Amino acid sequence: MAALHYRSMQRQTFHQVQDDLLNYTVGFVRYRQRDGDTEIIASGSGVFVIITGRRGIITAAHVSDMLRNEQEDAKIGFVLQGSTSSFHLKRDTLVFDYRVKGTIDSEGPDLAFIDLPDDSRIGYIKSRHAFYRMDEERMREFEEGQWPDPQVGLWYVAGYPWQRGLVTERAQGLFPAIYTSRLNWATGPTPSVFERDGFDYCDLQVIFSHVDYSQPELQPESFEGCSGGGLWHAVPGSPTKYLFSGVAFFEGYNDDHSRFLRCHGAQSGWRCLYQTVASG
């Protein structure tokens, strides 16, 4: 199992990576009116991408299902980096396209793509976020085995964990956090540790290392809300600073009560999702 930890990162590096990857990351919230208050329900994370000109969000299928099952005129809240005001789109403006979901939550598959409206309504998103470009060149490099060795470099999962459940605060009450995994020839195995029915999976062990920049608020009791967040691979000196390499979808516990995040790997994100969406 690959390990997620804070160790061996300088504070400046940590925050730079956080800013870079949250530039592609969105958190979702749903709203409920109860006793005169607006309750905000954390509903997962996603990755802004552009595929053959289509701007959308890759996320976990169970996250997509929560949003899709809202009433058509319901507001879907978007938690955006650096924003202190709420942003939302109506449920009926989103197109729930690609979806694959297994019957057992822990086993997967659990992957989806949501089309965003191609008009001025996403102008605010474009002004604050980048859309990660998934294209044929990167797909070809993946198919030809030209991507960096997975045992070299850094691995990241970016998402919006929420450990308080239902609250009556504004959407900016959500906080971003990023958890890192250093893999090299000495300390880490390949992150894509197993395959099933054409999809690949990676279990990332969560280890909290108490160093000077490890604040308690960066160590949630639960990773609820991170489902759908991106799995990223970075290799020093690589022409591509960060490679989108999968999606987190399940939090589990080991026999010693430590936690792990299960993610889809690059084969799932590129060979399965990308090729299907691009050909559609």
Side-chain angles (χ1 to χ4, degrees):
M1 247 184 218
L4 281 148
H5 56 78
Y6 293 109
R7 192 177 296 119
S8 302
M9 290 188 70
Q10 298 295 323
R11 180 191 293 266
Q12 183 176 2
T13 301
F14 176 84
H15 288 299
Q16 182 61 59
V17 171
Q18 181 180 44
D19 289 344
D20 288 347
L21 294 187
L22 289 178
N23 193 34
Y24 299 111
T25 304
V26 61
F28 297 113
V29 295
R30 295 171 293 148
Y31 305 99
R32 294 290 184 271
Q33 295 295 325
R34 297 187 183 180
D35 301 325
D37 288 324
T38 299
E39 294 181 326
I40 301 171
I41 307 172
S43 302
S45 301
V47 181
F48 288 120
V49 298
I50 182 168
I51 300 176
T52 60
R54 297 166 60 182
R55 295 183 188 273
I57 299 168
I58 292 177
T59 186
H62 74 269
V63 172
S64 174
D65 290 347
M66 283 191 290
L67 306 181
R68 184 185 58 188
N69 291 336
E70 292 288 286
Q71 295 182 0
E72 289 192 357
D73 62 348
K75 295 179 180 179
I76 304 297
F78 285 61
V79 182
L80 304 177
Q81 184 183 25
S83 177
T84 57
S85 60
S86 60
F87 174 81
H88 68 266
L89 290 173
K90 290 289 187 68
R91 151 65 183 84
D92 60 6
T93 66
L94 305 175
V95 178
F96 297 85
D97 192 351
Y98 176 92
R99 175 191 181 276
V100 58
K101 179 72 170 68
T103 57
I104 302 175
D105 292 345
S106 62
E107 293 188 2
D110 193 340
L111 199 58
F113 177 78
I114 303 171
D115 268 300
L116 292 171
D118 188 20
D119 56 31
S120 60
R121 284 172 291 189
I122 64 167
Y124 185 75
I125 298 176
K126 292 164 65 176
S127 71
R128 291 185 171 272
H129 283 265
F131 285 73
Y132 186 85
R133 184 172 296 278
M134 299 179 73
D135 55 30
E136 286 297 325
E137 181 178 357
R138 285 182 181 170
M139 178 65 203
R140 185 172 57 253
E141 291 172 351
F142 172 72
E143 293 283 22
E144 295 175 354
Q146 297 180 22
W147 277 26
D149 189 313
Q151 296 194 50
V152 177
L154 298 168
W155 286 88
Y156 307 91
V157 172
Y160 285 84
W162 178 282
Q163 63 185 38
R164 290 173 295 175
L166 297 177
V167 297
T168 57
E169 300 177 13
R170 294 172 62 87
Q172 61 262 35
L174 285 165
F175 64 91
I178 188 168
Y179 301 92
T180 71
S181 171
R182 176 182 294 278
L183 298 180
N184 56 46
W185 290 107
T187 62
T190 172
S192 295
V193 294
F194 61 96
E195 295 185 16
R196 184 187 298 115
D197 299 328
F199 295 90
D200 61 338
Y201 300 91
C202 165
D203 284 350
L204 297 179
Q205 186 77 20
V206 179
I207 301 172
F208 291 122
S209 299
H210 294 281
V211 291
D212 60 350
Y213 56 85
S214 270
Q215 304 296 325
E217 61 268 23
L218 293 182
Q219 301 181 18
E221 296 174 2
S222 169
F223 287 94
E224 180 183 0
C226 275
S227 285
L231 172 67
W232 301 87
H233 185 199
V235 176
S238 171
T240 304
K241 191 171 185 180
Y242 302 108
L243 279 171
F244 170 68
S245 299
V247 169
F249 69 89
F250 180 79
E251 176 184 0
Y253 288 83
N254 301 305
D255 292 339
D256 62 358
H257 305 294
S258 62
R259 286 177 284 163
F260 67 89
L261 292 179
R262 180 159 292 168
C263 306
H264 276 292
Q267 176 173 303
S268 301
W270 287 85
R271 187 174 294 156
C272 300
L273 186 149
Y274 168 76
Q275 287 192 324
T276 301
V277 173
S279 63

